Structure formats: C-alpha cells, structure tokens
Amino acid sequence: MVKQRILQIWRANQQPSEAFDYYYSFLVSGCIGLVEAWLNKETPETPKQIAILAGDLIKQGFINPVF
C-alpha cells in the first residue's frame, strides 16, 4: 500500500520510472535505519518526534533538520 502511494506521487511529479525502484529501496532502508537508531537510544525522542523527523526527511531531505 505504501509503495503504491509513493509510486502515484512519483508519477504525478513526472519522475523517470526506471529510477523509482532505487528511490523506494533507499527510502525504506533509511526509515528502517532511523527506527533502529531511535530504539537503540538510551533516552529516545517521542514517537511523534520521530514520525515528524521521518516525514521531513522523506519530503525535504537534510536541508532543514528538525533537531
């Protein structure tokens, strides 16, 4: 379901379809790494803070970090 939604957005922005699998793989791996790092922290941020960070990273990249 998530992959299909991301693909719809990808196509709506007229991105080249041959690059989508690489983008999606990078996105999923990054999210998994983010959650792993969060769970391994001694004093982790709230789930809401991590959700906001993940969303911002997906939408904007590393331009304006949340914290």
Short mmCIF file of all heavy atoms in Angstrom, two decimals:
data_model
loop_
_atom_site.label_atom_id
_atom_site.label_comp_id
_atom_site.label_asym_id
_atom_site.label_seq_id
_atom_site.Cartn_x
_atom_site.Cartn_y
_atom_site.Cartn_z
N MET A 1 0.82 -1.17 0.00
CA MET A 1 0.00 0.00 0.00
C MET A 1 0.88 1.26 0.00
O MET A 1 0.62 2.18 -0.77
CB MET A 1 -0.92 -0.03 1.22
CG MET A 1 -1.90 1.10 1.24
SD MET A 1 -3.23 0.92 2.43
CE MET A 1 -2.39 1.25 3.96
N VAL A 2 1.88 1.29 0.85
CA VAL A 2 2.77 2.45 0.91
C VAL A 2 3.52 2.61 -0.41
O VAL A 2 3.61 3.71 -0.95
CB VAL A 2 3.76 2.32 2.09
CG1 VAL A 2 4.81 3.41 2.05
CG2 VAL A 2 3.01 2.34 3.41
N LYS A 3 4.03 1.49 -0.93
CA LYS A 3 4.77 1.56 -2.19
C LYS A 3 3.89 2.09 -3.31
O LYS A 3 4.34 2.91 -4.12
CB LYS A 3 5.33 0.18 -2.55
CG LYS A 3 6.24 0.22 -3.75
CD LYS A 3 6.89 -1.13 -3.99
CE LYS A 3 7.88 -1.05 -5.13
NZ LYS A 3 8.56 -2.33 -5.34
N GLN A 4 2.65 1.66 -3.37
CA GLN A 4 1.74 2.13 -4.41
C GLN A 4 1.48 3.63 -4.30
O GLN A 4 1.43 4.34 -5.29
CB GLN A 4 0.42 1.35 -4.36
CG GLN A 4 0.57 -0.10 -4.79
CD GLN A 4 1.12 -0.24 -6.19
OE1 GLN A 4 0.74 0.46 -7.11
NE2 GLN A 4 2.07 -1.15 -6.36
N ARG A 5 1.31 4.10 -3.07
CA ARG A 5 1.07 5.55 -2.86
C ARG A 5 2.29 6.37 -3.27
O ARG A 5 2.17 7.40 -3.93
CB ARG A 5 0.71 5.82 -1.40
CG ARG A 5 0.48 7.26 -1.09
CD ARG A 5 -0.73 7.82 -1.84
NE ARG A 5 -0.89 9.22 -1.53
CZ ARG A 5 -1.03 10.17 -2.44
NH1 ARG A 5 -1.12 9.90 -3.72
NH2 ARG A 5 -1.15 11.43 -2.07
N ILE A 6 3.47 5.90 -2.89
CA ILE A 6 4.70 6.61 -3.27
C ILE A 6 4.86 6.62 -4.78
O ILE A 6 5.25 7.62 -5.38
CB ILE A 6 5.92 6.00 -2.56
CG1 ILE A 6 5.82 6.24 -1.06
CG2 ILE A 6 7.22 6.58 -3.12
CD1 ILE A 6 6.86 5.50 -0.25
N LEU A 7 4.51 5.50 -5.42
CA LEU A 7 4.60 5.42 -6.88
C LEU A 7 3.63 6.40 -7.54
O LEU A 7 3.97 7.05 -8.53
CB LEU A 7 4.32 4.00 -7.36
CG LEU A 7 4.44 3.74 -8.86
CD1 LEU A 7 5.82 4.13 -9.37
CD2 LEU A 7 4.15 2.28 -9.17
N GLN A 8 2.43 6.56 -6.98
CA GLN A 8 1.48 7.55 -7.52
C GLN A 8 2.05 8.96 -7.44
O GLN A 8 1.96 9.73 -8.41
CB GLN A 8 0.17 7.49 -6.74
CG GLN A 8 -0.67 6.29 -7.01
CD GLN A 8 -1.89 6.24 -6.10
OE1 GLN A 8 -1.98 6.96 -5.11
NE2 GLN A 8 -2.83 5.37 -6.44
N ILE A 9 2.63 9.29 -6.30
CA ILE A 9 3.24 10.63 -6.14
C ILE A 9 4.40 10.79 -7.11
O ILE A 9 4.57 11.83 -7.74
CB ILE A 9 3.69 10.83 -4.68
CG1 ILE A 9 2.47 10.86 -3.75
CG2 ILE A 9 4.52 12.11 -4.53
CD1 ILE A 9 2.80 10.76 -2.28
N TRP A 10 5.21 9.75 -7.22
CA TRP A 10 6.37 9.76 -8.13
C TRP A 10 5.92 10.06 -9.55
O TRP A 10 6.48 10.92 -10.22
CB TRP A 10 7.05 8.39 -8.04
CG TRP A 10 8.31 8.24 -8.81
CD1 TRP A 10 8.44 7.73 -10.07
CD2 TRP A 10 9.64 8.56 -8.39
NE1 TRP A 10 9.75 7.72 -10.45
CE2 TRP A 10 10.51 8.21 -9.43
CE3 TRP A 10 10.16 9.10 -7.22
CZ2 TRP A 10 11.88 8.39 -9.34
CZ3 TRP A 10 11.54 9.26 -7.15
CH2 TRP A 10 12.38 8.91 -8.19
N ARG A 11 4.89 9.35 -10.00
CA ARG A 11 4.39 9.55 -11.37
C ARG A 11 3.73 10.91 -11.54
O ARG A 11 3.86 11.52 -12.61
CB ARG A 11 3.41 8.43 -11.72
CG ARG A 11 4.10 7.11 -11.94
CD ARG A 11 3.12 6.03 -12.30
NE ARG A 11 3.81 4.78 -12.57
CZ ARG A 11 3.24 3.60 -12.48
NH1 ARG A 11 1.97 3.49 -12.12
NH2 ARG A 11 3.93 2.50 -12.74
N ALA A 12 3.02 11.38 -10.52
CA ALA A 12 2.37 12.69 -10.60
C ALA A 12 3.40 13.80 -10.78
O ALA A 12 3.11 14.83 -11.39
CB ALA A 12 1.54 12.94 -9.35
N ASN A 13 4.60 13.60 -10.25
CA ASN A 13 5.68 14.58 -10.39
C ASN A 13 6.53 14.32 -11.62
O ASN A 13 7.58 14.93 -11.79
CB ASN A 13 6.55 14.60 -9.13
CG ASN A 13 5.82 15.20 -7.97
OD1 ASN A 13 5.24 16.27 -8.08
ND2 ASN A 13 5.82 14.50 -6.85
N GLN A 14 6.07 13.40 -12.46
CA GLN A 14 6.71 13.07 -13.73
C GLN A 14 8.18 12.69 -13.59
O GLN A 14 9.03 13.12 -14.36
CB GLN A 14 6.53 14.22 -14.72
CG GLN A 14 5.07 14.52 -14.99
CD GLN A 14 4.87 15.71 -15.91
OE1 GLN A 14 5.80 16.42 -16.27
NE2 GLN A 14 3.63 15.93 -16.29
N GLN A 15 8.47 11.90 -12.56
CA GLN A 15 9.83 11.41 -12.38
C GLN A 15 10.05 10.20 -13.29
O GLN A 15 9.12 9.46 -13.57
CB GLN A 15 10.04 11.01 -10.92
CG GLN A 15 9.89 12.14 -9.94
CD GLN A 15 10.95 13.21 -10.11
OE1 GLN A 15 12.08 12.93 -10.47
NE2 GLN A 15 10.57 14.45 -9.88
N PRO A 16 11.28 9.97 -13.74
CA PRO A 16 11.55 8.82 -14.61
C PRO A 16 11.28 7.50 -13.89
O PRO A 16 11.77 7.28 -12.78
CB PRO A 16 13.02 8.97 -14.98
CG PRO A 16 13.57 10.01 -14.08
CD PRO A 16 12.45 10.77 -13.47
N SER A 17 10.48 6.64 -14.48
CA SER A 17 10.05 5.42 -13.81
C SER A 17 11.19 4.43 -13.56
O SER A 17 11.13 3.66 -12.61
CB SER A 17 8.95 4.74 -14.62
OG SER A 17 9.41 4.41 -15.91
N GLU A 18 12.23 4.45 -14.36
CA GLU A 18 13.33 3.49 -14.16
C GLU A 18 14.11 3.76 -12.87
O GLU A 18 14.78 2.88 -12.35
CB GLU A 18 14.27 3.45 -15.36
CG GLU A 18 15.00 4.75 -15.65
CD GLU A 18 14.23 5.70 -16.55
OE1 GLU A 18 13.11 5.38 -16.95
OE2 GLU A 18 14.78 6.77 -16.84
N ALA A 19 14.01 4.95 -12.31
CA ALA A 19 14.72 5.27 -11.07
C ALA A 19 13.89 4.97 -9.83
O ALA A 19 14.43 5.00 -8.72
CB ALA A 19 15.12 6.75 -11.07
N PHE A 20 12.61 4.65 -9.98
CA PHE A 20 11.73 4.50 -8.81
C PHE A 20 12.18 3.39 -7.87
O PHE A 20 12.18 3.58 -6.65
CB PHE A 20 10.28 4.24 -9.24
CG PHE A 20 9.38 4.00 -8.05
CD1 PHE A 20 9.00 5.06 -7.25
CD2 PHE A 20 8.97 2.72 -7.72
CE1 PHE A 20 8.19 4.85 -6.14
CE2 PHE A 20 8.17 2.50 -6.61
CZ PHE A 20 7.78 3.57 -5.82
N ASP A 21 12.56 2.24 -8.38
CA ASP A 21 12.95 1.13 -7.51
C ASP A 21 14.14 1.50 -6.63
O ASP A 21 14.20 1.11 -5.47
CB ASP A 21 13.27 -0.13 -8.33
CG ASP A 21 12.02 -0.77 -8.89
OD1 ASP A 21 10.93 -0.60 -8.31
OD2 ASP A 21 12.14 -1.46 -9.92
N TYR A 22 15.07 2.26 -7.17
CA TYR A 22 16.22 2.70 -6.37
C TYR A 22 15.78 3.69 -5.29
O TYR A 22 16.21 3.62 -4.15
CB TYR A 22 17.28 3.35 -7.26
CG TYR A 22 17.89 2.40 -8.24
CD1 TYR A 22 17.72 2.59 -9.60
CD2 TYR A 22 18.64 1.31 -7.81
CE1 TYR A 22 18.28 1.72 -10.52
CE2 TYR A 22 19.20 0.43 -8.72
CZ TYR A 22 19.03 0.64 -10.07
OH TYR A 22 19.58 -0.23 -10.96
N TYR A 23 14.94 4.62 -5.67
CA TYR A 23 14.42 5.60 -4.72
C TYR A 23 13.67 4.91 -3.58
O TYR A 23 13.90 5.20 -2.41
CB TYR A 23 13.50 6.59 -5.44
CG TYR A 23 12.80 7.55 -4.52
CD1 TYR A 23 13.43 8.71 -4.08
CD2 TYR A 23 11.50 7.31 -4.09
CE1 TYR A 23 12.79 9.60 -3.23
CE2 TYR A 23 10.85 8.19 -3.24
CZ TYR A 23 11.49 9.33 -2.81
OH TYR A 23 10.85 10.19 -1.96
N TYR A 24 12.78 4.00 -3.94
CA TYR A 24 11.97 3.30 -2.94
C TYR A 24 12.86 2.46 -2.00
O TYR A 24 12.68 2.48 -0.79
CB TYR A 24 10.93 2.42 -3.61
CG TYR A 24 10.02 1.75 -2.62
CD1 TYR A 24 9.04 2.46 -1.95
CD2 TYR A 24 10.16 0.39 -2.34
CE1 TYR A 24 8.22 1.86 -1.02
CE2 TYR A 24 9.35 -0.22 -1.41
CZ TYR A 24 8.38 0.51 -0.76
OH TYR A 24 7.57 -0.09 0.18
N SER A 25 13.83 1.76 -2.56
CA SER A 25 14.74 0.97 -1.74
C SER A 25 15.52 1.84 -0.77
O SER A 25 15.66 1.51 0.42
CB SER A 25 15.71 0.21 -2.65
OG SER A 25 16.63 -0.53 -1.90
N PHE A 26 15.99 2.99 -1.23
CA PHE A 26 16.72 3.92 -0.38
C PHE A 26 15.81 4.45 0.72
O PHE A 26 16.20 4.53 1.89
CB PHE A 26 17.26 5.08 -1.24
CG PHE A 26 18.06 6.08 -0.47
CD1 PHE A 26 19.40 5.84 -0.20
CD2 PHE A 26 17.49 7.26 -0.02
CE1 PHE A 26 20.16 6.77 0.51
CE2 PHE A 26 18.22 8.19 0.68
CZ PHE A 26 19.57 7.94 0.95
N LEU A 27 14.60 4.79 0.38
CA LEU A 27 13.64 5.34 1.33
C LEU A 27 13.32 4.33 2.43
O LEU A 27 13.37 4.66 3.62
CB LEU A 27 12.36 5.73 0.59
CG LEU A 27 11.23 6.29 1.41
CD1 LEU A 27 11.59 7.67 1.93
CD2 LEU A 27 9.98 6.37 0.56
N VAL A 28 13.03 3.10 2.05
CA VAL A 28 12.68 2.07 3.03
C VAL A 28 13.87 1.75 3.93
O VAL A 28 13.73 1.65 5.15
CB VAL A 28 12.16 0.80 2.32
CG1 VAL A 28 12.04 -0.36 3.28
CG2 VAL A 28 10.83 1.08 1.65
N SER A 29 15.05 1.61 3.35
CA SER A 29 16.25 1.32 4.15
C SER A 29 16.54 2.44 5.14
O SER A 29 16.90 2.18 6.29
CB SER A 29 17.46 1.12 3.23
OG SER A 29 17.27 0.02 2.40
N GLY A 30 16.36 3.67 4.70
CA GLY A 30 16.58 4.81 5.58
C GLY A 30 15.60 4.84 6.74
O GLY A 30 15.97 5.12 7.88
N CYS A 31 14.34 4.54 6.47
CA CYS A 31 13.33 4.52 7.53
C CYS A 31 13.61 3.42 8.54
O CYS A 31 13.47 3.63 9.75
CB CYS A 31 11.94 4.37 6.93
SG CYS A 31 11.34 5.86 6.11
N ILE A 32 14.02 2.27 8.05
CA ILE A 32 14.36 1.17 8.97
C ILE A 32 15.55 1.56 9.84
O ILE A 32 15.55 1.34 11.04
CB ILE A 32 14.64 -0.13 8.18
CG1 ILE A 32 13.33 -0.64 7.57
CG2 ILE A 32 15.27 -1.19 9.08
CD1 ILE A 32 13.50 -1.77 6.58
N GLY A 33 16.56 2.17 9.23
CA GLY A 33 17.72 2.62 9.99
C GLY A 33 17.37 3.68 11.02
O GLY A 33 17.89 3.67 12.14
N LEU A 34 16.46 4.58 10.67
CA LEU A 34 16.01 5.61 11.60
C LEU A 34 15.33 4.99 12.81
O LEU A 34 15.63 5.35 13.96
CB LEU A 34 15.06 6.57 10.89
CG LEU A 34 14.45 7.67 11.74
CD1 LEU A 34 15.51 8.70 12.11
CD2 LEU A 34 13.30 8.33 11.02
N VAL A 35 14.46 4.04 12.59
CA VAL A 35 13.75 3.37 13.69
C VAL A 35 14.73 2.57 14.55
O VAL A 35 14.65 2.59 15.78
CB VAL A 35 12.61 2.48 13.15
CG1 VAL A 35 12.02 1.61 14.25
CG2 VAL A 35 11.52 3.35 12.54
N GLU A 36 15.67 1.87 13.92
CA GLU A 36 16.67 1.11 14.69
C GLU A 36 17.49 2.04 15.59
O GLU A 36 17.71 1.74 16.76
CB GLU A 36 17.60 0.35 13.75
CG GLU A 36 16.97 -0.86 13.13
CD GLU A 36 17.92 -1.56 12.16
OE1 GLU A 36 18.94 -0.97 11.74
OE2 GLU A 36 17.62 -2.72 11.83
N ALA A 37 17.94 3.16 15.03
CA ALA A 37 18.74 4.11 15.82
C ALA A 37 17.91 4.67 16.97
O ALA A 37 18.40 4.82 18.09
CB ALA A 37 19.25 5.24 14.92
N TRP A 38 16.65 4.97 16.70
CA TRP A 38 15.75 5.50 17.73
C TRP A 38 15.54 4.50 18.84
O TRP A 38 15.63 4.84 20.03
CB TRP A 38 14.43 5.88 17.06
CG TRP A 38 13.35 6.32 17.99
CD1 TRP A 38 13.41 7.37 18.88
CD2 TRP A 38 12.05 5.77 18.12
NE1 TRP A 38 12.22 7.49 19.54
CE2 TRP A 38 11.36 6.51 19.09
CE3 TRP A 38 11.39 4.72 17.49
CZ2 TRP A 38 10.05 6.24 19.46
CZ3 TRP A 38 10.08 4.46 17.84
CH2 TRP A 38 9.42 5.21 18.83
N LEU A 39 15.31 3.24 18.50
CA LEU A 39 15.07 2.22 19.52
C LEU A 39 16.32 1.91 20.34
O LEU A 39 16.21 1.47 21.48
CB LEU A 39 14.55 0.93 18.87
CG LEU A 39 13.16 1.02 18.25
CD1 LEU A 39 12.83 -0.27 17.52
CD2 LEU A 39 12.11 1.35 19.30
N ASN A 40 17.48 2.15 19.78
CA ASN A 40 18.73 1.88 20.50
C ASN A 40 19.22 3.04 21.36
O ASN A 40 20.19 2.90 22.08
CB ASN A 40 19.83 1.47 19.51
CG ASN A 40 19.61 0.10 18.95
OD1 ASN A 40 19.15 -0.81 19.66
ND2 ASN A 40 19.89 -0.09 17.68
N LYS A 41 18.55 4.19 21.29
CA LYS A 41 18.96 5.33 22.10
C LYS A 41 18.58 5.12 23.55
O LYS A 41 17.54 4.55 23.87
CB LYS A 41 18.26 6.61 21.60
CG LYS A 41 19.03 7.34 20.55
CD LYS A 41 18.40 8.65 20.24
CE LYS A 41 19.05 9.74 21.07
NZ LYS A 41 18.59 11.07 20.69
N GLU A 42 19.44 5.60 24.43
CA GLU A 42 19.18 5.49 25.86
C GLU A 42 17.99 6.36 26.28
O GLU A 42 17.17 5.97 27.10
CB GLU A 42 20.43 5.90 26.64
CG GLU A 42 20.38 5.50 28.09
CD GLU A 42 21.72 5.70 28.77
OE1 GLU A 42 22.74 5.26 28.21
OE2 GLU A 42 21.73 6.31 29.85
N THR A 43 17.90 7.54 25.73
CA THR A 43 16.77 8.44 26.01
C THR A 43 16.15 8.86 24.67
O THR A 43 16.46 9.94 24.16
CB THR A 43 17.21 9.67 26.81
OG1 THR A 43 18.25 10.34 26.09
CG2 THR A 43 17.70 9.30 28.19
N PRO A 44 15.30 8.02 24.10
CA PRO A 44 14.76 8.29 22.77
C PRO A 44 13.74 9.42 22.76
O PRO A 44 13.13 9.75 23.78
CB PRO A 44 14.09 6.97 22.39
CG PRO A 44 13.74 6.34 23.69
CD PRO A 44 14.81 6.77 24.66
N GLU A 45 13.59 10.02 21.59
CA GLU A 45 12.57 11.02 21.37
C GLU A 45 11.20 10.34 21.41
O GLU A 45 11.10 9.13 21.36
CB GLU A 45 12.77 11.71 20.01
CG GLU A 45 13.97 12.63 19.95
CD GLU A 45 15.31 11.90 19.88
OE1 GLU A 45 15.34 10.69 19.55
OE2 GLU A 45 16.33 12.52 20.18
N THR A 46 10.16 11.13 21.44
CA THR A 46 8.82 10.57 21.44
C THR A 46 8.51 10.00 20.05
O THR A 46 9.13 10.40 19.06
CB THR A 46 7.77 11.65 21.78
OG1 THR A 46 7.75 12.61 20.71
CG2 THR A 46 8.07 12.32 23.11
N PRO A 47 7.55 9.08 19.98
CA PRO A 47 7.14 8.57 18.67
C PRO A 47 6.70 9.69 17.72
O PRO A 47 7.01 9.65 16.53
CB PRO A 47 5.98 7.63 18.99
CG PRO A 47 6.26 7.17 20.39
CD PRO A 47 6.88 8.37 21.08
N LYS A 48 6.04 10.70 18.26
CA LYS A 48 5.59 11.81 17.43
C LYS A 48 6.78 12.56 16.82
O LYS A 48 6.77 12.92 15.65
CB LYS A 48 4.72 12.77 18.24
CG LYS A 48 4.15 13.90 17.40
CD LYS A 48 3.19 14.76 18.20
CE LYS A 48 2.63 15.85 17.31
NZ LYS A 48 1.63 16.65 17.99
N GLN A 49 7.83 12.80 17.65
CA GLN A 49 9.02 13.49 17.15
C GLN A 49 9.69 12.69 16.03
O GLN A 49 10.13 13.26 15.03
CB GLN A 49 10.03 13.72 18.28
CG GLN A 49 9.61 14.79 19.26
CD GLN A 49 10.58 14.85 20.44
OE1 GLN A 49 10.81 13.86 21.12
NE2 GLN A 49 11.13 16.04 20.67
N ILE A 50 9.77 11.37 16.19
CA ILE A 50 10.39 10.53 15.17
C ILE A 50 9.54 10.50 13.91
O ILE A 50 10.06 10.52 12.80
CB ILE A 50 10.66 9.11 15.72
CG1 ILE A 50 11.75 9.17 16.79
CG2 ILE A 50 11.04 8.14 14.61
CD1 ILE A 50 13.09 9.72 16.31
N ALA A 51 8.23 10.47 14.07
CA ALA A 51 7.35 10.48 12.90
C ALA A 51 7.51 11.77 12.11
O ALA A 51 7.57 11.77 10.88
CB ALA A 51 5.90 10.31 13.33
N ILE A 52 7.62 12.89 12.82
CA ILE A 52 7.82 14.19 12.16
C ILE A 52 9.17 14.20 11.45
O ILE A 52 9.28 14.64 10.30
CB ILE A 52 7.71 15.34 13.18
CG1 ILE A 52 6.26 15.48 13.65
CG2 ILE A 52 8.23 16.65 12.59
CD1 ILE A 52 6.08 16.41 14.85
N LEU A 53 10.20 13.72 12.12
CA LEU A 53 11.53 13.68 11.52
C LEU A 53 11.53 12.81 10.26
O LEU A 53 12.06 13.22 9.22
CB LEU A 53 12.56 13.15 12.53
CG LEU A 53 13.99 12.97 12.01
CD1 LEU A 53 14.56 14.28 11.51
CD2 LEU A 53 14.87 12.37 13.09
N ALA A 54 10.94 11.63 10.34
CA ALA A 54 10.89 10.74 9.17
C ALA A 54 10.15 11.41 8.02
O ALA A 54 10.62 11.38 6.87
CB ALA A 54 10.22 9.42 9.55
N GLY A 55 9.02 12.02 8.32
CA GLY A 55 8.27 12.72 7.27
C GLY A 55 9.05 13.85 6.64
O GLY A 55 9.07 14.01 5.42
N ASP A 56 9.72 14.62 7.48
CA ASP A 56 10.53 15.74 6.97
C ASP A 56 11.69 15.24 6.11
O ASP A 56 12.01 15.82 5.08
CB ASP A 56 11.06 16.59 8.11
CG ASP A 56 9.98 17.46 8.74
OD1 ASP A 56 8.88 17.56 8.17
OD2 ASP A 56 10.25 18.03 9.82
N LEU A 57 12.34 14.17 6.54
CA LEU A 57 13.46 13.62 5.76
C LEU A 57 12.98 13.11 4.41
O LEU A 57 13.65 13.28 3.40
CB LEU A 57 14.17 12.51 6.53
CG LEU A 57 15.00 12.97 7.72
CD1 LEU A 57 15.47 11.78 8.54
CD2 LEU A 57 16.19 13.79 7.25
N ILE A 58 11.82 12.48 4.40
CA ILE A 58 11.28 11.97 3.15
C ILE A 58 10.90 13.11 2.21
O ILE A 58 11.20 13.08 1.02
CB ILE A 58 10.06 11.06 3.41
CG1 ILE A 58 10.52 9.77 4.09
CG2 ILE A 58 9.29 10.77 2.13
CD1 ILE A 58 9.39 8.94 4.68
N LYS A 59 10.29 14.14 2.76
CA LYS A 59 9.82 15.26 1.93
C LYS A 59 10.92 16.23 1.54
O LYS A 59 10.93 16.75 0.43
CB LYS A 59 8.71 16.02 2.64
CG LYS A 59 7.42 15.24 2.77
CD LYS A 59 6.33 16.08 3.40
CE LYS A 59 6.55 16.14 4.88
NZ LYS A 59 5.50 16.81 5.64
N GLN A 60 11.84 16.52 2.47
CA GLN A 60 12.79 17.61 2.26
C GLN A 60 14.25 17.18 2.22
O GLN A 60 15.11 17.98 1.89
CB GLN A 60 12.63 18.64 3.37
CG GLN A 60 11.27 19.25 3.43
CD GLN A 60 11.11 20.15 4.65
OE1 GLN A 60 12.06 20.39 5.38
NE2 GLN A 60 9.92 20.61 4.90
N GLY A 61 14.54 15.99 2.66
CA GLY A 61 15.94 15.59 2.75
C GLY A 61 16.58 16.17 3.98
O GLY A 61 15.92 16.34 5.01
N PHE A 62 17.83 16.53 3.90
CA PHE A 62 18.58 17.00 5.07
C PHE A 62 18.72 18.51 5.10
O PHE A 62 19.56 19.05 5.81
CB PHE A 62 19.97 16.36 5.07
CG PHE A 62 19.91 14.87 5.21
CD1 PHE A 62 20.00 14.06 4.09
CD2 PHE A 62 19.75 14.28 6.45
CE1 PHE A 62 19.95 12.68 4.21
CE2 PHE A 62 19.69 12.90 6.57
CZ PHE A 62 19.79 12.10 5.46
N ILE A 63 17.90 19.22 4.38
CA ILE A 63 18.04 20.68 4.27
C ILE A 63 17.74 21.38 5.59
O ILE A 63 18.51 22.21 6.05
CB ILE A 63 17.14 21.23 3.15
CG1 ILE A 63 17.60 20.66 1.80
CG2 ILE A 63 17.18 22.75 3.11
CD1 ILE A 63 16.65 20.92 0.67
N ASN A 64 16.61 21.06 6.22
CA ASN A 64 16.20 21.72 7.47
C ASN A 64 15.92 20.66 8.54
O ASN A 64 14.76 20.31 8.78
CB ASN A 64 14.93 22.56 7.25
CG ASN A 64 15.16 23.69 6.29
OD1 ASN A 64 16.13 24.41 6.42
ND2 ASN A 64 14.29 23.83 5.32
N PRO A 65 16.95 20.16 9.23
CA PRO A 65 16.71 19.13 10.24
C PRO A 65 15.82 19.64 11.38
O PRO A 65 15.88 20.82 11.74
CB PRO A 65 18.10 18.76 10.75
CG PRO A 65 19.01 19.81 10.27
CD PRO A 65 18.35 20.53 9.13
N VAL A 66 15.01 18.74 11.94
CA VAL A 66 14.08 19.09 12.99
C VAL A 66 14.81 19.39 14.30
O VAL A 66 14.47 20.30 15.01
CB VAL A 66 13.05 17.95 13.21
CG1 VAL A 66 12.12 18.26 14.37
CG2 VAL A 66 12.26 17.73 11.94
N PHE A 67 15.82 18.59 14.64
CA PHE A 67 16.59 18.82 15.86
C PHE A 67 18.02 18.46 15.65
O PHE A 67 18.45 18.08 14.64
CB PHE A 67 16.01 18.09 17.07
CG PHE A 67 15.63 16.67 16.87
CD1 PHE A 67 16.54 15.65 17.03
CD2 PHE A 67 14.33 16.33 16.53
CE1 PHE A 67 16.17 14.33 16.86
CE2 PHE A 67 13.96 15.03 16.37
CZ PHE A 67 14.87 14.02 16.51
#
